[in-house]
Amino acid sequence: HALEAYFTALLLSINGWASWCAYQRWQARLNQGSDDHIVELLAIRLAWEWLLLDAVDDAGITGDWRARWEVLAASEQAMYAAQSHDWLWQHALEIAHQQTLIEGLTTPPRRPRDARPAVQAIFCIDVRSEVFRRALEASGDDLQTRGFAGFFGLPIAYAPLGTAMQRAQLPGLLAPTLTVSERAATTAETECCTRQVQARLQWRQRWREFRASASSAFTFVEALGLTYAAALLRRSLPQPRTAMPAAFAAIPPPQRSGMRLVLHDPATPRDELAIDCRCELAVEILAAMQLTQDFARLILLVGHGSQSANNPHAAGLDCGACGGQSGEINARALASLLNDTALRAGLRDRGIHIPVDTVFIAALHNTSTDEVELHDVDHARAQHRDEFARLTLRLARAGMQARAERAGALGLGESPNEAALLKALKRRASDWAQLRPEWGLVDNAAFIIAPRSLSKHLNLGGRAFLQDYDWRQDDGFATLEAILTGPMIVTNWINLQYYASTLDNDRYGSGNKVLHNVVGGRIGVFEGNSGDLRIGLPRQSLHDGENWRHTPLRLSVFVAAPPDAIDSLIAKHVSLRYLVEHGWLHLLCFDANDRSVQQRVAGRWLDRRPQS
């Protein structure tokens, strides 16, 4: 026990690099490989400790060192005793927040309308989506929103056309098994577009090498600096968010607009995934969404992504379910998949009947400006012209309402009108010196796994992750198992990142963002010239200069499902047992019909029925 604690202490003394090595091992094991960097790092750190001890000519140090380890258990108990009052206050703060949610979630919901909805909008469970969903739902009862993890169940890596690069578009818990990339209408057009992109990339690479070469490093700015004035000015002005790789500008717009995303097996990149495999994938996704009947005419698949400039922590503002990427690739890929007529015929053979007039539309919610951009909409616009026009108007109004709700937290509450507010948000998103383009997932505190009808009447203030789930449609509780072992773990990671970065930013946060220097392109950041990587969130992402914006609460998970079903899943998965039984989160189940609420504590369910 003492050796394990000692080795852990050594790694914690270089926590940033140790975390990076642990990440490398995690990634290797996802791909059935191995990585020993963390063992090698520990060996180096241990050898350094040995050399330091050997250089000290004092035998008393060794004896004192051993004596301290022998009383390690007693020291731990003394520390826990000293912290007992702090934990009491912490728990009281969490109970206060839970009580508000208990009162709201056990209020009998309003009966949903029986008619087929005109629009269904499926958003990522991200807390920022709650504000926009609430605003969009206010536009009419014929619009229904749902929550689902923003990678939309697609186990994919994205391979941009003309490059060998791939990036995972799914949670860090999983490894991609499929690849998605752009294709033109014909093979010849695809090959032509590929050559155009590769030529642009090669030119950019040669230009980059010229700028960085030893012969031009000291003369480049003096000789060509003024030619960059226009580009620098343009980049300083408010810019629209674009998901298109820069090299795609080499493709003429008519060809670019006709391209679509195609799924394929990494082993056969030239061939689209077989129709039977695509059908099985679609069945799994729709079943996980619990969207196998009552399809609306227009179904929005809304991914999300942030917009900021000069921001090494930009990935922390994008979609966690997409591995720190934005979600439009997943939304576009799934929309293309589900709009395919051959696939719909295959789904009918498997018992899922998508009406002929149903159209799936990919969208991206820009969480910095609360604008929603629609993708690949020609078919939807042609088939449902009036409904599509009404939908775009509803999205615009919902964006206005969401921006107004968030303006005060960003110090923009004095904006005279909507146009000025939107302009201010766009300016923040393009400002190279802006430390807080948005507040991200700050103040997250709860994860609600239940039908939206049970929380629709609540203003959750952008503090709750929302996963749609109805246990009565989940035979064998396979969907609940996927939620508890996937999205719940990821939301807990996010919650603990904000929690630890707020409580102890020196150890678990990344300090002052102004002093950050990027290491190795994408590895991480140093604070100033420090030698260890900084982990967690910078102080400016949590504090507005006067007050903390995040209240450090452990995640409270509310599940509308029978406790016996939850118990069986906890018994099955050791990762769930560790989270629940070791107090990393609070797990509660509830039934709105009889207003019962129970919390799992020390292996049993305790009554938490609302007080009123």
Side-chain angles (χ1 to χ4, degrees):
H1 176 71
L3 278 178
E4 181 182 344
Y6 174 51
F7 291 158
T8 301
L10 289 179
L11 289 174
L12 286 175
S13 70
I14 43 172
N15 195 19
W17 287 113
S19 299
W20 170 254
C21 292
Y23 165 76
Q24 293 297 320
R25 168 171 281 194
W26 179 284
Q27 291 297 306
R29 289 178 174 176
L30 281 178
N31 294 291
Q32 288 72 52
S34 182
D35 186 283
D36 293 328
H37 279 98
I38 194 165
V39 178
E40 295 166 1
L41 180 67
L42 177 60
I44 294 169
R45 184 66 183 83
L46 187 61
W48 182 247
E49 194 90 344
W50 184 286
L51 290 171
L52 290 175
L53 181 63
D54 190 55
V56 178
D57 187 17
D58 187 349
I61 291 179
T62 304
D64 183 61
W65 180 84
R66 287 177 176 169
R68 288 177 180 271
W69 282 108
E70 289 174 357
V71 298
L72 174 63
S75 298
E76 286 181 346
Q77 292 301 319
M79 180 189 69
Y80 293 146
Q83 292 178 345
S84 61
H85 286 89
D86 292 335
W87 279 111
L88 185 64
W89 285 109
Q90 174 73 37
H91 200 188
L93 188 63
E94 290 162 348
I95 289 174
H97 177 69
Q98 290 167 2
Q99 198 60 42
T100 302
L101 288 176
I102 288 171
E103 294 286 349
L105 292 173
T106 55
T107 300
R110 188 179 65 177
R111 178 180 172 82
R113 49 181 282 149
D114 295 326
R116 178 190 183 189
V119 178
Q120 289 165 322
I122 303 172
F123 285 80
C124 182
I125 63 176
D126 186 282
V127 296
R128 291 165 292 182
S129 298
E130 186 271 333
V131 179
F132 196 97
R133 287 176 63 180
R134 185 162 26 88
L136 187 58
E137 289 165 343
S139 66
D141 289 340
D142 62 338
L143 187 148
Q144 177 189 91
T145 75
R146 290 170 173 255
F148 190 74
F151 75 116
F152 294 114
L154 290 169
I156 59 172
Y158 171 51
L161 182 73
T163 75
M165 183 205 83
Q166 291 191 9
R167 72 177 194 225
Q169 290 279 153
L170 75 173
L173 284 165
L174 307 173
T177 58
L178 299 174
T179 306
V180 63
S181 56
E182 291 86 0
R183 297 286 172 83
T186 65
T187 301
E189 287 182 341
T190 299
E191 292 175 350
C192 177
C193 293
T194 300
R195 289 192 296 270
Q196 292 170 321
V197 169
Q198 289 175 340
R200 174 66 66 91
L201 289 172
Q202 289 168 0
W203 181 88
R204 285 164 61 90
Q205 180 62 24
R206 286 195 294 269
W207 180 248
R208 190 178 295 113
E209 290 171 353
F210 166 69
R211 289 170 54 188
S213 67
S215 60
S216 63
F218 295 101
T219 60
F220 181 84
V221 174
E222 288 81 354
L224 298 175
L226 287 177
T227 64
Y228 276 81
L232 289 173
L233 179 61
R234 184 172 61 253
R235 290 178 60 189
S236 299
L237 297 174
Q239 300 290 321
R241 190 192 188 283
T242 176
M244 183 182 71
F248 275 37
I251 304 174
Q255 287 178 286
R256 199 161 62 227
S257 63
M259 301 183 76
R260 66 189 183 97
L261 288 169
V262 173
L263 290 165
H264 54 84
D265 190 304
T268 56
R270 296 180 65 87
D271 300 323
E272 187 172 5
L273 195 66
I275 184 65
D276 285 343
C277 295
R278 281 183 279 150
C279 284
E280 293 302 323
L281 177 61
V283 168
E284 290 178 8
I285 292 172
L286 291 172
M289 287 182 176
Q290 297 188 326
L291 183 63
T292 56
Q293 57 187 359
D294 300 326
F295 295 91
R297 286 162 62 85
L298 293 177
I299 301 180
L300 272 180
L301 302 172
V302 190
H304 67 93
S306 184
Q307 182 182 356
S308 58
N310 189 32
N311 184 10
H313 289 84
L317 298 176
D318 277 337
C319 182
C322 296
Q325 312 292 341
S326 58
E328 70 269 18
I329 293 296
N330 299 68
R332 290 182 59 209
L334 184 58
S336 176
L337 183 72
L338 295 176
N339 283 329
D340 184 83
T341 53
L343 179 128
R344 291 193 181 186
L347 290 181
R348 284 195 295 273
D349 295 338
R350 291 164 172 81
I352 298 177
H353 299 266
I354 300 178
V356 176
D357 64 347
T358 290
V359 179
F360 290 84
I361 305 172
L364 180 73
H365 173 205
N366 183 336
T367 56
S368 296
T369 63
D370 277 311
E371 297 172 290
V372 171
E373 177 185 0
L374 304 180
H375 294 272
D376 311 322
V377 296
D378 290 344
H379 181 51
R381 186 184 287 115
Q383 189 167 345
H384 303 299
R385 183 177 298 276
D386 293 339
E387 291 169 289
F388 182 83
R390 186 178 178 219
L391 173 61
T392 56
L393 182 60
R394 286 174 141 184
L395 291 170
R397 288 175 175 169
M400 292 170 57
Q401 184 175 328
R403 283 190 289 273
E405 182 170 330
R406 288 190 169 128
L410 293 168
L412 300 174
E414 299 300 322
S415 298
N417 53 51
E418 161 59 22
L421 177 57
L422 179 58
K423 183 177 179 180
L425 289 171
K426 288 183 175 181
R427 186 166 56 247
R428 291 175 70 93
S430 303
D431 187 352
W432 296 5
Q434 179 54 249
L435 298 175
R436 304 175 184 91
E438 61 159 291
W439 280 116
L441 294 93
V442 75
D443 230 16
N444 70 85
F447 182 20
I448 300 173
I449 305 169
R452 175 57 175 159
S453 59
L454 300 184
S455 62
K456 186 177 179 180
H457 61 289
L458 300 177
N459 182 342
L460 297 168
R463 303 189 67 188
F465 301 92
L466 296 177
Q467 169 83 48
D468 265 69
Y469 171 73
D470 187 344
W471 68 270
R472 294 165 298 184
Q473 300 179 30
D474 187 14
D475 186 29
F477 296 100
T479 299
L480 180 61
E481 181 176 11
I483 294 170
L484 296 184
T485 57
M488 189 183 80
I489 291 178
V490 173
T491 54
N492 178 248
W493 285 352
I494 294 169
N495 173 264
L496 288 178
Q497 181 189 42
Y498 277 83
Y499 179 96
S501 297
T502 303
L503 288 180
D504 192 347
N505 199 264
D506 289 338
R507 289 185 178 88
Y508 300 113
S510 56
N512 188 348
K513 194 174 185 179
V514 177
L515 303 178
H516 284 175
N517 290 308
V518 177
V519 180
R522 293 180 177 270
I523 291 177
V525 296
F526 286 163
E527 186 179 13
N529 60 354
S530 61
D532 194 16
L533 291 176
R534 297 306 307 265
I535 64 173
L537 297 164
R539 192 172 291 108
Q540 287 89 345
S541 295
L542 306 159
H543 196 278
D544 63 10
E546 296 182 359
N547 300 293
W548 291 102
R549 302 297 309 190
H550 182 72
T551 305
L553 304 178
R554 286 171 293 176
L555 190 69
S556 294
V557 181
F558 290 82
V559 187
D564 291 346
I566 300 172
D567 280 338
S568 67
L569 296 176
I570 292 175
K572 182 178 179 180
H573 294 279
V574 65
S575 59
L576 296 183
R577 288 201 301 278
Y578 284 162
L579 285 178
V580 177
E581 295 178 2
H582 293 183
W584 293 103
L585 52 74
H586 300 282
L587 182 60
L588 303 95
C589 68
F590 70 101
D591 187 331
N593 292 323
D594 64 8
R595 303 201 73 197
S596 64
V597 181
Q598 300 176 75
Q599 181 171 359
R600 200 173 193 277
V601 179
R604 57 197 182 96
W605 293 95
L606 302 180
D607 184 57
R608 287 289 305 277
R609 194 176 299 272
Q611 296 174 354
S612 59

